[in-house]
Amino acid sequence: MCFYALIFCANVLLIVVICMNRSLHEPMYLFLCSLFVNELYGSTGLFPFLLVQILSDIHIISAPFCFLQIFCVYTYASIQFFNLSIMSYDRYLAICYPLQYNTRMTFNKVTVLIALSWLYPFVGDAVVISLSAPLQLCGNIIDKVYCNNYSVVKLACFDTSVNNIFGLICTCLLVFGPLSLIIYTYVKILKVCYSGSKQTRQKAVSTCTPHLASLLNFSFGGFFEIVQSRFDMSSVPLMLRIFLSLYFLTCQPIFNPLIYGLQMSKIRSLCKRVESGVQESGFQLHLIYHNQPLLHIPGHSSTLRQIIVKMATLPLEPDSWYRFTPAIHRTRTTTTGPHR
């Protein structure tokens, strides 16, 4: 549960930073915001169910909750690939067509791309679940830590060829479709970097490194989960199978905030400002004692310790008064109150 809390706080922090700062209202950061929202969605779809199963003596889950978990996990994985493919397309335009970037990647286009990256996986996976839900099952044991569509289909009493074929088609469309776009854009980026200037190569490296790291990390976990679902992996040790099946659902949601928060200078600097937000506001402190100025300290909140030390040494009485003036509103009349 602590790990889920860490995932939640890290992603919410970056979402707030991007939403609250106008300087980050650019296509690249809006796509990142969509990515972080998806990390919250995917981890929320797994961890509460997983926690209940761990704490319970009997590891049983009802059919509706099982299909709900399948839907959450599958849509999370699909949206992740779509988000990563859109981000690669955005980097492709920024590096290969820098002068035309603002006209090609407009706000309306960004909105449409983000909406499609969420809507298409929701519809595709809903169709897959709708084919699996009515199946009559001849068993009730799933050899997985969480519910998996193919594991449920294998328990069916009747022929499931339609489910298998449609599942493979959806997997190809939802995974290999975005993956082909990513490969195409990076081939174009590499061509531009090879023939471009040193500045172009540096820009490509700085902006594409976090994306490539995120893509490779998620692809590794996703590839193993697809292979494990379709093929017999009994020769692999059980603990390793469990770890690798949970890898893309547990490591990716914390990996993305860390890699983007640490690598991208704009986000890193603004996160530091949020964490030390109190230190950003300047002030002036005027201490009035019997209508006579006794203490005046201009500065920032980093001098609060200095103020407290000075006030502790002053001969103040309960009827003394103070005035606190924010530096950003120096001409503003401030309220006064008794010293405590």
PDB file of all heavy atoms in Angstrom, residues 85-86 88-89 176-186:
ATOM      1  N   SER A  85       3.026   6.475 -28.446  1.00  0.00           N
ATOM      2  CA  SER A  85       3.103   6.679 -29.900  1.00  0.00           C
ATOM      3  C   SER A  85       2.805   8.136 -30.262  1.00  0.00           C
ATOM      4  O   SER A  85       3.467   8.714 -31.136  1.00  0.00           O
ATOM      5  CB  SER A  85       2.129   5.748 -30.617  1.00  0.00           C
ATOM      6  OG  SER A  85       0.790   6.054 -30.283  1.00  0.00           O
ATOM      7  N   ILE A  86       1.839   8.747 -29.591  1.00  0.00           N
ATOM      8  CA  ILE A  86       1.529  10.156 -29.842  1.00  0.00           C
ATOM      9  C   ILE A  86       2.705  11.041 -29.438  1.00  0.00           C
ATOM     10  O   ILE A  86       3.038  12.012 -30.126  1.00  0.00           O
ATOM     11  CB  ILE A  86       0.252  10.561 -29.088  1.00  0.00           C
ATOM     12  CG1 ILE A  86      -0.964   9.877 -29.712  1.00  0.00           C
ATOM     13  CG2 ILE A  86       0.056  12.072 -29.109  1.00  0.00           C
ATOM     14  CD1 ILE A  86      -2.238  10.056 -28.902  1.00  0.00           C
ATOM     15  N   SER A  88       5.841  10.184 -29.457  1.00  0.00           N
ATOM     16  CA  SER A  88       6.899  10.027 -30.465  1.00  0.00           C
ATOM     17  C   SER A  88       6.584  10.844 -31.712  1.00  0.00           C
ATOM     18  O   SER A  88       7.481  11.428 -32.331  1.00  0.00           O
ATOM     19  CB  SER A  88       7.065   8.553 -30.820  1.00  0.00           C
ATOM     20  OG  SER A  88       5.937   8.062 -31.514  1.00  0.00           O
ATOM     21  N   TYR A  89       5.308  10.900 -32.079  1.00  0.00           N
ATOM     22  CA  TYR A  89       4.891  11.727 -33.218  1.00  0.00           C
ATOM     23  C   TYR A  89       5.136  13.204 -32.930  1.00  0.00           C
ATOM     24  O   TYR A  89       5.587  13.955 -33.811  1.00  0.00           O
ATOM     25  CB  TYR A  89       3.415  11.473 -33.521  1.00  0.00           C
ATOM     26  CG  TYR A  89       2.824  12.372 -34.580  1.00  0.00           C
ATOM     27  CD1 TYR A  89       3.220  12.278 -35.909  1.00  0.00           C
ATOM     28  CD2 TYR A  89       1.867  13.341 -34.238  1.00  0.00           C
ATOM     29  CE1 TYR A  89       2.685  13.110 -36.875  1.00  0.00           C
ATOM     30  CE2 TYR A  89       1.330  14.175 -35.207  1.00  0.00           C
ATOM     31  CZ  TYR A  89       1.739  14.056 -36.516  1.00  0.00           C
ATOM     32  OH  TYR A  89       1.202  14.902 -37.477  1.00  0.00           O
ATOM     33  N   PHE A 176       0.623  -3.313 -31.810  1.00  0.00           N
ATOM     34  CA  PHE A 176       1.554  -3.205 -32.937  1.00  0.00           C
ATOM     35  C   PHE A 176       1.243  -2.012 -33.838  1.00  0.00           C
ATOM     36  O   PHE A 176       2.136  -1.531 -34.543  1.00  0.00           O
ATOM     37  CB  PHE A 176       1.540  -4.504 -33.741  1.00  0.00           C
ATOM     38  CG  PHE A 176       2.053  -5.677 -32.957  1.00  0.00           C
ATOM     39  CD1 PHE A 176       1.185  -6.655 -32.498  1.00  0.00           C
ATOM     40  CD2 PHE A 176       3.401  -5.781 -32.658  1.00  0.00           C
ATOM     41  CE1 PHE A 176       1.662  -7.738 -31.773  1.00  0.00           C
ATOM     42  CE2 PHE A 176       3.889  -6.854 -31.931  1.00  0.00           C
ATOM     43  CZ  PHE A 176       3.014  -7.836 -31.484  1.00  0.00           C
ATOM     44  N   GLY A 177      -0.007  -1.520 -33.816  1.00  0.00           N
ATOM     45  CA  GLY A 177      -0.334  -0.290 -34.552  1.00  0.00           C
ATOM     46  C   GLY A 177       0.442   0.905 -34.029  1.00  0.00           C
ATOM     47  O   GLY A 177       1.212   1.550 -34.769  1.00  0.00           O
ATOM     48  N   PRO A 178       0.299   1.228 -32.727  1.00  0.00           N
ATOM     49  CA  PRO A 178       1.098   2.322 -32.148  1.00  0.00           C
ATOM     50  C   PRO A 178       2.598   2.073 -32.232  1.00  0.00           C
ATOM     51  O   PRO A 178       3.380   3.007 -32.429  1.00  0.00           O
ATOM     52  CB  PRO A 178       0.627   2.357 -30.689  1.00  0.00           C
ATOM     53  CG  PRO A 178      -0.735   1.767 -30.717  1.00  0.00           C
ATOM     54  CD  PRO A 178      -0.709   0.730 -31.790  1.00  0.00           C
ATOM     55  N   LEU A 179       3.006   0.800 -32.073  1.00  0.00           N
ATOM     56  CA  LEU A 179       4.435   0.480 -32.107  1.00  0.00           C
ATOM     57  C   LEU A 179       5.041   0.769 -33.485  1.00  0.00           C
ATOM     58  O   LEU A 179       6.179   1.243 -33.590  1.00  0.00           O
ATOM     59  CB  LEU A 179       4.642  -0.985 -31.742  1.00  0.00           C
ATOM     60  CG  LEU A 179       6.015  -1.383 -31.206  1.00  0.00           C
ATOM     61  CD1 LEU A 179       6.380  -0.574 -29.973  1.00  0.00           C
ATOM     62  CD2 LEU A 179       6.051  -2.868 -30.904  1.00  0.00           C
ATOM     63  N   SER A 180       4.267   0.511 -34.540  1.00  0.00           N
ATOM     64  CA  SER A 180       4.759   0.802 -35.891  1.00  0.00           C
ATOM     65  C   SER A 180       4.929   2.299 -36.110  1.00  0.00           C
ATOM     66  O   SER A 180       5.884   2.738 -36.767  1.00  0.00           O
ATOM     67  CB  SER A 180       3.800   0.221 -36.934  1.00  0.00           C
ATOM     68  OG  SER A 180       2.516   0.802 -36.817  1.00  0.00           O
ATOM     69  N   LEU A 181       4.021   3.099 -35.543  1.00  0.00           N
ATOM     70  CA  LEU A 181       4.156   4.555 -35.636  1.00  0.00           C
ATOM     71  C   LEU A 181       5.395   5.031 -34.889  1.00  0.00           C
ATOM     72  O   LEU A 181       6.116   5.920 -35.361  1.00  0.00           O
ATOM     73  CB  LEU A 181       2.906   5.239 -35.071  1.00  0.00           C
ATOM     74  CG  LEU A 181       2.931   6.769 -35.008  1.00  0.00           C
ATOM     75  CD1 LEU A 181       3.080   7.370 -36.400  1.00  0.00           C
ATOM     76  CD2 LEU A 181       1.676   7.304 -34.324  1.00  0.00           C
ATOM     77  N   ILE A 182       5.664   4.442 -33.737  1.00  0.00           N
ATOM     78  CA  ILE A 182       6.851   4.808 -32.953  1.00  0.00           C
ATOM     79  C   ILE A 182       8.123   4.494 -33.739  1.00  0.00           C
ATOM     80  O   ILE A 182       9.049   5.317 -33.807  1.00  0.00           O
ATOM     81  CB  ILE A 182       6.845   4.069 -31.598  1.00  0.00           C
ATOM     82  CG1 ILE A 182       5.700   4.567 -30.720  1.00  0.00           C
ATOM     83  CG2 ILE A 182       8.178   4.265 -30.874  1.00  0.00           C
ATOM     84  CD1 ILE A 182       5.478   3.748 -29.469  1.00  0.00           C
ATOM     85  N   ILE A 183       8.177   3.313 -34.343  1.00  0.00           N
ATOM     86  CA  ILE A 183       9.363   2.924 -35.124  1.00  0.00           C
ATOM     87  C   ILE A 183       9.557   3.860 -36.311  1.00  0.00           C
ATOM     88  O   ILE A 183      10.678   4.310 -36.598  1.00  0.00           O
ATOM     89  CB  ILE A 183       9.224   1.463 -35.596  1.00  0.00           C
ATOM     90  CG1 ILE A 183       9.246   0.515 -34.399  1.00  0.00           C
ATOM     91  CG2 ILE A 183      10.339   1.106 -36.584  1.00  0.00           C
ATOM     92  CD1 ILE A 183       8.924  -0.918 -34.734  1.00  0.00           C
ATOM     93  N   TYR A 184       8.464   4.202 -36.997  1.00  0.00           N
ATOM     94  CA  TYR A 184       8.546   5.095 -38.159  1.00  0.00           C
ATOM     95  C   TYR A 184       9.084   6.467 -37.756  1.00  0.00           C
ATOM     96  O   TYR A 184       9.985   7.014 -38.412  1.00  0.00           O
ATOM     97  CB  TYR A 184       7.167   5.234 -38.794  1.00  0.00           C
ATOM     98  CG  TYR A 184       7.091   6.295 -39.865  1.00  0.00           C
ATOM     99  CD1 TYR A 184       7.557   6.051 -41.155  1.00  0.00           C
ATOM    100  CD2 TYR A 184       6.556   7.562 -39.589  1.00  0.00           C
ATOM    101  CE1 TYR A 184       7.505   7.028 -42.143  1.00  0.00           C
ATOM    102  CE2 TYR A 184       6.491   8.533 -40.560  1.00  0.00           C
ATOM    103  CZ  TYR A 184       6.964   8.273 -41.833  1.00  0.00           C
ATOM    104  OH  TYR A 184       6.904   9.245 -42.798  1.00  0.00           O
ATOM    105  N   THR A 185       8.540   7.032 -36.673  1.00  0.00           N
ATOM    106  CA  THR A 185       8.967   8.374 -36.252  1.00  0.00           C
ATOM    107  C   THR A 185      10.422   8.387 -35.823  1.00  0.00           C
ATOM    108  O   THR A 185      11.164   9.333 -36.125  1.00  0.00           O
ATOM    109  CB  THR A 185       8.078   8.884 -35.106  1.00  0.00           C
ATOM    110  OG1 THR A 185       8.068   7.930 -34.034  1.00  0.00           O
ATOM    111  CG2 THR A 185       6.648   9.108 -35.576  1.00  0.00           C
ATOM    112  N   TYR A 186      10.872   7.338 -35.153  1.00  0.00           N
ATOM    113  CA  TYR A 186      12.261   7.328 -34.705  1.00  0.00           C
ATOM    114  C   TYR A 186      13.241   7.094 -35.853  1.00  0.00           C
ATOM    115  O   TYR A 186      14.384   7.569 -35.805  1.00  0.00           O
ATOM    116  CB  TYR A 186      12.461   6.294 -33.592  1.00  0.00           C
ATOM    117  CG  TYR A 186      12.216   6.891 -32.226  1.00  0.00           C
ATOM    118  CD1 TYR A 186      11.034   6.661 -31.545  1.00  0.00           C
ATOM    119  CD2 TYR A 186      13.167   7.717 -31.627  1.00  0.00           C
ATOM    120  CE1 TYR A 186      10.795   7.226 -30.303  1.00  0.00           C
ATOM    121  CE2 TYR A 186      12.952   8.293 -30.396  1.00  0.00           C
ATOM    122  CZ  TYR A 186      11.762   8.042 -29.729  1.00  0.00           C
ATOM    123  OH  TYR A 186      11.532   8.618 -28.495  1.00  0.00           O
TER     124      TYR A 186
END
